[in-house]
Amino acid sequence: MAKHSLIGRLKRAWYVSHKRKAGNAVTHAGFTLLELLVVTVISGGIIAGLTYMVVELLGADQRESSRAETQREMQMSLDYISSELQEAVYVYPGACLQGNGAAGGTACHGLFNYIPDSISTGGSVPVLAFWKQQPYPRSIKEGVCRTSPYTATVSGQAVSCISGNSYALVIYSLSNANASGLWKGRARITRYALTEFQQNGTRTKGYVNPGSFSNNFDTWPYGPDPSGSTVVNLQTLAAIPGRPDGAAQVLVDFVDDGSGATALGIPNAADNLLCPDDASTVDNPATTTEDESIDYVVSPPAALQTAVFGARPRGFYACVSTGSNTGENREVVLFVRGNAYGRGGIVSDKGFLPTLETRVLSRAVLDRSPSL
C-alpha cells in the first residue's frame, strides 16, 4: 500500500507541475503592439510590391495587345486596298489629284475639285484614286435590264445591260475628321466610291462614265461635249448634273497622322525621297545601259498633305509609277503606319508602329499593247 501510495503521489505531483507550466505559458503568450506594427509594415510592403508587379505586367500586356491589334488592322487594311487596286483599269498619279496645270484637253484638272466636298475638305486628304469596273446593283439588273435589256434607260440615259457593269471611281483618303467623336485614333483611312448607280437604282449625281467619252480617264471629268467640238466639264451634262455628294466610309482607325513620328524625333522627308526610283540604275551591266525606266511620284502632293496635317511625316501615302511606255502596267507602292494612341494602355504618341509597305502591279488591259 505504501508503494502504491508513493507512486500515486509522484503522479499527482507531476500532473500539477505540468498543468501549472501549461497555464503559465497560456497566460503569458502573445505579441506586443510594436511587434504587430512591424509585421503589418513588412506584410504591407510585400503585398504592395507584388501588387505593383501584377499591375505593371497587366499594363504591359495591355499595351502590347493594343500595339499588336493596331498593327494587325493596318495589315488588313493594306491587304484590302491592295486586292482592290489589282482590279484598277486606271490609277491616277499624285499630281492629278490636285491638277497639273496643263492646258486644253490633255490637262489633269484635279480630282480634288470634282469629288464630294466632304472628301477634299474638312480634315480629309485624297491619297489614292483609281477607276475599276463595278457591277450594276441588283435593282438595275432585275429591274430595267430584265424588262428591256436592249433599250433600257435610267434618267434619260442608256444602260449597258449587255456588259452589266460600268466604271467606278474609288478614292482612299487620310482623314482626321471626327465630328461625331466616335473614332479614337489620330487619323483614319476612308474609302469613297463614285458609282453610276445607287443601290436603289437611281443615278449618282455628277457621275460621268469615262468609257463613254473617248476614254477620258486622265482628263476626267473633262471631255468632248456630245457634238465633239469643245472640251467641257461633263459633270454639267450628267443625268443629275453637279458635283457629286455623299460621304466616305471609314476603313480603319488608329493611323498615324505624323504625331507619332514627330514624338520620336523622325524628321519629315521631302517628296522626292519618299518613293523608290531606279531611273538611274543600270539593268544591263554588259551594255551599261538601262533597259527600262520606272519612276514614281508621291501621292498626294505635298501641298494637299500639309494643308491638313502640316509638315509632318506621312502616315498613309502611295507612290505611283510613271513609265515611259504608253499603256504599260502601272505599279503602286503603298505605305501605312499605325499609331496605337487612344487604345487601352497607350497614353502617348510613342505608341506608333513600324511602317508597312506593299507593292501592287495593276492588271488592267486598258490601252495595253500585246508587246508591253
Side-chain angles (χ1 to χ4, degrees):
M1 294 296 295
K3 183 177 180 180
H4 292 292
S5 178
L6 179 59
I7 294 174
R9 289 194 189 98
L10 291 174
K11 288 183 176 180
R12 285 195 297 273
W14 180 85
Y15 176 76
V16 171
S17 176
H18 181 72
K19 184 176 181 181
R20 185 179 296 127
K21 290 180 180 180
N24 291 338
V26 173
T27 301
H28 297 289
F31 298 101
T32 65
L33 179 60
L34 180 59
E35 291 173 332
L36 289 174
L37 290 175
V38 171
V39 171
T40 301
V41 171
I42 295 174
S43 301
I46 295 174
I47 294 174
L50 292 174
T51 302
Y52 176 79
M53 292 177 60
V54 171
V55 171
E56 282 298 306
L57 288 173
L58 292 175
D61 181 71
Q62 187 179 39
R63 289 190 293 272
E64 289 304 314
S65 177
S66 296
R67 291 191 181 97
E69 181 66 15
T70 301
Q71 194 75 333
R72 186 183 70 87
E73 290 178 353
M74 295 303 105
Q75 185 62 61
M76 291 177 62
S77 65
L78 204 61
D79 293 342
Y80 183 90
I81 298 173
S82 299
S83 62
E84 188 169 38
L85 189 57
Q86 289 178 353
E87 304 175 16
V89 298
Y90 184 87
V91 183
Y92 286 99
C96 283
L97 297 179
Q98 189 176 21
N100 61 9
T106 61
C108 271
H109 295 274
L111 296 179
F112 190 81
N113 302 310
Y114 305 100
I115 58 178
D117 186 67
S118 61
I119 301 175
S120 57
T121 59
S124 294
V125 176
V127 173
L128 180 65
F130 56 91
W131 290 92
K132 56 172 284 190
Q133 288 189 317
Q134 180 80 14
Y136 288 153
R138 180 176 298 180
S139 55
I140 296 295
K141 292 181 178 179
E142 298 182 356
V144 295
C145 284
R146 174 170 293 182
T147 57
S148 52
Y150 300 105
T151 58
T153 59
V154 175
S155 299
Q157 292 189 1
V159 177
S160 179
C161 293
I162 303 301
S163 65
N165 58 67
S166 59
Y167 293 112
L169 175 63
V170 179
I171 302 173
Y172 285 97
S173 305
L174 182 65
S175 174
N176 60 12
N178 192 16
S180 64
L182 177 65
W183 309 105
K184 304 301 181 184
R186 287 297 190 188
R188 54 215 56 89
I189 297 175
T190 63
R191 178 186 183 275
Y192 171 80
L194 178 63
T195 57
E196 184 173 5
F197 299 101
Q198 302 293 320
Q199 289 299 317
N200 61 4
T202 60
R203 287 191 175 274
T204 302
K205 180 181 178 180
Y207 176 84
V208 177
N209 190 336
S212 301
F213 295 91
S214 302
N215 291 336
N216 65 322
F217 290 92
D218 51 348
T219 63
W220 189 94
Y222 282 77
D225 63 12
S227 65
S229 59
T230 58
V231 175
V232 298
N233 179 4
L234 297 171
Q235 285 186 332
T236 62
L237 305 177
I240 303 178
R243 186 172 181 173
D245 49 24
Q249 302 299 316
V250 173
L251 177 66
V252 66
D253 195 10
F254 297 103
V255 181
D256 188 35
D257 65 347
S259 300
T262 301
L264 292 177
I266 300 175
N268 184 28
D271 282 4
N272 62 340
L273 300 178
L274 291 173
C275 296
D277 184 358
D278 72 348
S280 60
T281 61
V282 177
D283 295 331
N284 191 342
T287 60
T288 65
T289 59
E290 186 180 15
D291 294 336
E292 60 180 331
S293 176
I294 304 177
D295 294 323
Y296 299 87
V297 292
V298 68
S299 179
L304 294 182
Q305 175 75 14
T306 57
V308 176
F309 296 101
R312 294 181 291 183
R314 303 176 185 229
F316 173 51
Y317 67 98
C319 294
V320 183
S321 67
T322 57
S324 59
N325 295 324
T326 303
E328 69 181 5
N329 280 324
R330 178 156 285 176
E331 186 179 48
V332 179
V333 187
L334 295 172
F335 300 87
V336 63
R337 180 173 58 241
N339 187 343
Y341 176 79
R343 288 189 183 273
I346 306 298
V347 296
S348 75
D349 282 304
K350 293 185 178 181
F352 108 116
L353 301 162
T355 303
L356 297 178
E357 174 186 348
T358 188
R359 293 174 180 247
V360 182
L361 186 65
S362 65
R363 302 169 180 173
V365 296
L366 185 67
D367 291 336
R368 286 294 310 281
S369 169
S371 61
L372 300 177

